[in-house]
Amino acid sequence: MVDSQYYLPNSIRISKLDCKEAFELLSPKEKLYAHYLSRAAWYGGLVVLVQTSPESPAIYALLQKLFRKQTPAELEKVASEAGLSSEEYLAVLVYAAGFYANMGNYKSFGDTKFIPNLPKEKLKALVWQSKAFMDSPKEMESLWNNCSHLLFSLDNRQKQLGLGQDGITTYFSGNCSLEDAKLAQKFLDSQNLSAYNTRLFKREPEAGKQAYEVRLASSIKTDCAADGEGQTRCGQYDFEDAVFTVHRGDYAPLMEKVIQNLDKAKAYASNENEVRMLEEYIKSFTFGSVDAHKEGSRFWIKDKGPIVESYIGFIESYRDPFGSRGEFEGFVAVVNKAMSARFAQLVSKAEVLLPELPWPQAFEKDQFLRPDFTSLDVLTFAGSGIPSGINIPNYDDIRQTEGFKNVSLGNVLAVGSIVRKEDLTFLEEDIKDLYLKLVGPAFEVQVGLHELLGHGSGKLFVQDSKGSFNFEKGSVCNPETGELVSSWYNEGETWDSKFSTIASSYEECRAECVGIYMCLNKEVLSIFGHENEDAEDVLYINWLNMVRAGLLGLEFYSPETKTWKQAHMRGRFVILRVLLEAGEGLVTLKETTGSDGRPDMLITLDRAKVKTVGKSAIHKFLCKLQVYKSVADVEGGRALYDGYSEVTSDGPHDFLRIRETVLLRKVARKLFVQANTTVKGESVELVEYENTAAGLVQSNTDRFLEDAEELERHLLELSSHDIACWC
């Protein structure tokens, strides 16, 4: 029997990401702008296949060829003739749907591998009986031989993403270790080169020195300076006892597709900021320049309140085991004006609310740069998963001094917070109805606070290249030690590069703490329309949802490697530990036996103590998180965060045993079906699909009909070029 965490159940919930009403309100010009931005995002999203695992591009090609020749309904008859039961064929559809939704064979939320939930020979029989195989037997057999072993393999190293022997990653060649990653980061910092759009390959030594290739994502493959570029960063560098060669051309054919569609979108931009933004993105993806992407992000920040909102590039670093390289993502969405009005009100109050955060004023930004904060209905979200909210750009130097944008993804929140009562684990029966009623509104408040006042707050102490400091070096004291601040970020260093492997999770934990801390403020709850008893219920459910999430987070811890596989869930477990440590009966965990006779858990939160014991505990912890972050105290921050992240059998709670119960009772994370857009004459049409595994598969098959063969060839070439790096 395969452990259930390594496959997706046939009962997995699949929801339609509805954006029809918002899309139909767009003008013809806005629809064309949204269409070409969506095409750019979808093409770029294919990069994630190459970023996820060596076998993902081949699995993608196999699935695309299979379902392009026959629809899911047509293949069902073939499956029956090939000896598959109806449940086994549904398992094929669910696997394909999960693969497309995660853009690879590892879960985007948890970094755990998933395999088809049927015997290998049954899937092979279906492939061999398919029209795709009948039409091109050699091609399909070659694809199967290339990917079928890894498609089903659950060898220890392949069970999860990770660096070295801890897992699989294609951000680094398979022979790279944590020490290699650290050395490469030091090299990149020395050259003021961002890691966001790079991969690292460890090569054979040259002249007795270890050799590395840093590969930049770009459409052009030549390393010499190209027209319109200026000075190139490519070349060979001696650094410490190693040789680094910076090349470009990673994902080149996919980057070219992105560029072509961004260029088409320019003709339908609504203002000069959007035009300049797209021009800089094109430059970034052409030359492999993060500096150009930063410049594009500056124009994006200036583009206030657009009807069609978008962002694209190598953005989030959650899945890089070292925490520095960005996964490609792109989204296109339409503003929800009613909900955006609430967020605008929260922004207007931010300067009053920020001083309530628990750190000294010197640790807050000198000036709050009021961001755009909009609620959006997602039309397109390409990448490995869809979040509920985003605070971007992630570039520290821009966020600290020039600003950022917050977006709440309204149609994701609307369906994402819907929970069936039978799926509501670990809570007392008498609280479940209130939880189901208010978890949606509570999560909306949490997302707003998390993005705006969480990710949008706090200062980084920096010394620039001229030796100047952005804080009063001789007078600012560290509140944790009582001594003058004695550490900071130097020129070229960033939050991600300094805190590396814990940076993403630490920052998500800090933002979550801000959310639950600030939701205790009546004025905040009033902005979201919650008053009196309703407000009290919402804040309680928000805290209860957080402690329950901390318990559920144990699913994403690996005892074998002693690593966490999901940044947000690690952060929520840390918060649970902090609140349990606060004592006084604030949070209790009780191991029980369920009605089915199997182990179960019960988690409770004392409502009367949230505003006293709970607030005090988060106040102290949040201050520590910010101070360590501000002063670049990696040693202190890591000791604090790693300490609360430990999952052991010691102490009052046997978290390793509790984890087994969490896995026993886990509910699969739902998948989203997204629409496609297509140009008919001079108009753009929205094509929607049913909220089933078959609908999700069909939406992805339809997405690239015009150049499917070309794309699959490019993906297989990209994959085969480096396959020896992981064999």
Side-chain angles (χ1 to χ4, degrees), residues 13 43 113 196 274 304 393 401 416 436 441 550 612 615 618 653:
R13 296 188 69 194
Y43 281 117
K113 188 173 186 177
Y196 269 116
E274 289 180 352
K304 301 288 187 182
T401 60
L436 290 169
T612 53
K615 182 178 181 180
I618 295 299
H653 302 290

Side-chain angles (χ1 to χ4, degrees), residues 288-320:
S289 168
V290 170
D291 287 340
H293 195 269
K294 284 184 175 182
E295 197 61 27
S297 298
R298 291 184 172 98
F299 287 113
W300 179 69
I301 293 168
K302 294 173 185 175
D303 187 25
K304 301 288 187 182
I307 300 300
V308 177
E309 183 62 281
S310 68
Y311 198 62
I312 190 169
F314 296 87
I315 312 301
E316 302 293 355
S317 57
Y318 301 128
R319 300 184 92 187
D320 169 14

Side-chain angles (χ1 to χ4, degrees), residues 474-615:
S475 60
V476 177
C477 284
N478 181 326
E480 296 301 311
T481 64
E483 300 173 354
L484 289 175
V485 167
S486 58
S487 58
W488 45 80
Y489 297 83
N490 294 313
E491 178 76 12
E493 293 179 334
T494 66
W495 161 249
D496 280 337
S497 70
K498 287 288 285 184
F499 282 74
S500 63
T501 55
I502 66 166
S504 292
S505 183
Y506 187 112
E507 174 59 15
E508 294 303 334
C509 181
R510 192 185 71 88
E512 292 284 48
C513 285
V514 169
I516 60 172
Y517 187 80
M518 294 305 296
C519 85
L520 299 172
N521 184 296
K522 289 183 179 179
E523 189 173 6
V524 166
L525 293 167
S526 179
I527 289 170
F528 286 89
H530 305 299
E531 305 282 357
N532 305 319
E533 185 179 347
D534 175 54
E536 295 296 315
D537 286 342
V538 167
L539 80 84
Y540 175 68
I541 294 301
N542 193 35
W543 277 65
L544 181 63
N545 191 41
M546 184 61 68
V547 296
R548 178 175 178 264
L551 180 60
L552 297 178
L554 285 167
E555 175 189 342
F556 302 95
Y557 176 77
S558 171
E560 295 81 11
T561 60
K562 295 186 178 180
T563 57
W564 282 89
K565 298 180 286 186
Q566 214 292 319
H568 298 78
M569 299 309 279
R570 178 182 182 181
R572 291 160 186 163
F573 176 75
V574 166
I575 292 171
L576 172 62
R577 288 283 308 274
V578 169
L579 295 177
L580 283 168
E581 184 182 82
E584 299 187 45
L586 172 67
V587 177
T588 59
L589 273 180
K590 183 180 179 184
E591 297 183 61
T592 64
T593 301
S595 58
D596 57 3
R598 300 188 300 173
D600 209 339
M601 292 292 304
L602 188 65
I603 188 165
T604 59
L605 173 70
D606 190 333
R607 185 171 183 147
K609 294 175 181 175
V610 169
K611 293 183 179 179
T612 53
V613 180
K615 182 178 181 180

Side-chain angles (χ1 to χ4, degrees), residues 640-654:
L640 174 76
Y641 201 66
D642 284 346
Y644 279 107
S645 301
E646 284 186 350
V647 179
T648 69
S649 299
D650 303 330
H653 302 290
D654 185 342

Side-chain angles (χ1 to χ4, degrees), residues 110-149:
D111 293 347
T112 301
K113 188 173 186 177
F114 59 97
I115 67 172
N117 187 21
L118 77 162
K120 183 177 179 179
E121 60 269 19
K122 289 290 187 80
L123 181 57
K124 181 178 180 180
L126 173 62
V127 172
W128 256 245
Q129 292 287 328
S130 69
K131 189 173 189 303
F133 190 91
M134 300 297 180
D135 289 352
S136 306
K138 288 184 179 179
E139 182 182 32
M140 291 297 285
E141 185 172 3
S142 175
L143 269 178
W144 175 264
N145 290 338
N146 282 344
C147 71
S148 59
H149 172 70

Side-chain angles (χ1 to χ4, degrees), residues 689-706:
Y689 302 85
E690 61 183 20
N691 58 325
T692 62
L696 204 161
V697 168
Q698 194 64 52
S699 70
N700 280 271
T701 308
D702 290 352
R703 197 153 284 151
F704 302 109
L705 286 177
E706 64 212 36

Side-chain angles (χ1 to χ4, degrees), residues 53-287:
S53 69
E55 65 273 16
S56 282
I59 297 173
Y60 176 84
L62 182 75
L63 293 174
Q64 286 291 86
K65 291 178 187 300
L66 193 65
F67 290 108
R68 193 163 60 247
K69 289 289 186 178
Q70 291 169 291
T71 66
E74 290 168 343
L75 262 176
E76 186 170 12
K77 183 180 178 183
V78 176
S80 178
E81 293 170 352
L84 278 71
S85 69
S86 58
E87 282 297 298
E88 287 172 330
Y89 180 62
L90 180 56
V92 173
L93 290 180
V94 165
Y95 176 80
F99 183 91
Y100 287 129
N102 291 279
M103 205 38 63
N105 60 335
Y106 287 76
K107 297 175 187 176
S108 65
F109 202 86
D111 293 347
T112 301
K113 188 173 186 177
F114 59 97
I115 67 172
N117 187 21
L118 77 162
K120 183 177 179 179
E121 60 269 19
K122 289 290 187 80
L123 181 57
K124 181 178 180 180
L126 173 62
V127 172
W128 256 245
Q129 292 287 328
S130 69
K131 189 173 189 303
F133 190 91
M134 300 297 180
D135 289 352
S136 306
K138 288 184 179 179
E139 182 182 32
M140 291 297 285
E141 185 172 3
S142 175
L143 269 178
W144 175 264
N145 290 338
N146 282 344
C147 71
S148 59
H149 172 70
L150 289 175
L151 194 155
F152 281 91
S153 174
L154 285 175
D155 289 349
N156 284 337
R157 187 181 179 189
Q158 290 157 4
K159 287 181 178 179
Q160 64 282 315
L161 299 179
L163 187 57
Q165 293 305 307
D166 288 339
I168 292 296
T169 178
T170 49
Y171 288 106
F172 298 86
S173 57
N175 57 351
C176 282
S177 66
L178 181 60
E179 292 308 310
D180 294 313
K182 289 178 179 177
L183 179 63
Q185 188 62 59
K186 286 173 67 178
F187 162 71
L188 292 169
D189 288 345
S190 74
Q191 298 298 318
N192 206 18
L193 263 173
S194 171
Y196 269 116
N197 66 341
T198 71
R199 292 197 289 165
L200 183 71
F201 296 83
K202 189 175 183 179
R203 302 304 190 191
E204 290 297 317
E206 296 179 10
K209 289 187 173 184
Q210 182 57 60
Y212 299 91
E213 176 193 353
V214 175
R215 197 182 298 169
L216 309 177
S218 69
S219 65
I220 63 171
K221 299 179 182 180
T222 56
D223 291 337
C224 56
D227 290 344
E229 180 183 17
Q231 187 176 4
T232 179
R233 306 300 296 278
C234 298
Q236 192 170 93
Y237 301 81
D238 287 315
F239 182 77
E240 296 190 0
D241 292 325
V243 177
F244 284 85
T245 304
V246 180
H247 289 305
R248 55 185 167 197
D250 216 2
Y251 326 118
L254 300 178
M255 292 293 95
E256 183 59 37
K257 294 280 188 181
V258 173
I259 290 163
Q260 289 169 2
N261 283 278
L262 291 178
D263 195 50
K264 290 176 181 177
K266 269 171 54 181
Y268 304 102
S270 62
N271 57 58
E272 186 63 19
N273 279 324
E274 289 180 352
V275 172
R276 297 289 300 278
M277 169 189 81
L278 294 174
E279 288 174 345
E280 292 297 332
Y281 290 164
I282 289 170
K283 186 186 294 185
S284 173
F285 301 142
T286 300
F287 302 124

Side-chain angles (χ1 to χ4, degrees), residues 603-642:
I603 188 165
T604 59
L605 173 70
D606 190 333
R607 185 171 183 147
K609 294 175 181 175
V610 169
K611 293 183 179 179
T612 53
V613 180
K615 182 178 181 180
S616 175
I618 295 299
H619 181 284
K620 294 172 186 173
F621 182 64
L622 185 50
C623 185
K624 288 180 180 179
L625 288 176
Q626 182 56 51
V627 168
Y628 288 135
K629 180 181 179 182
S630 289
V631 303
D633 184 353
V634 179
E635 185 178 346
R638 188 174 287 278
L640 174 76
Y641 201 66
D642 284 346

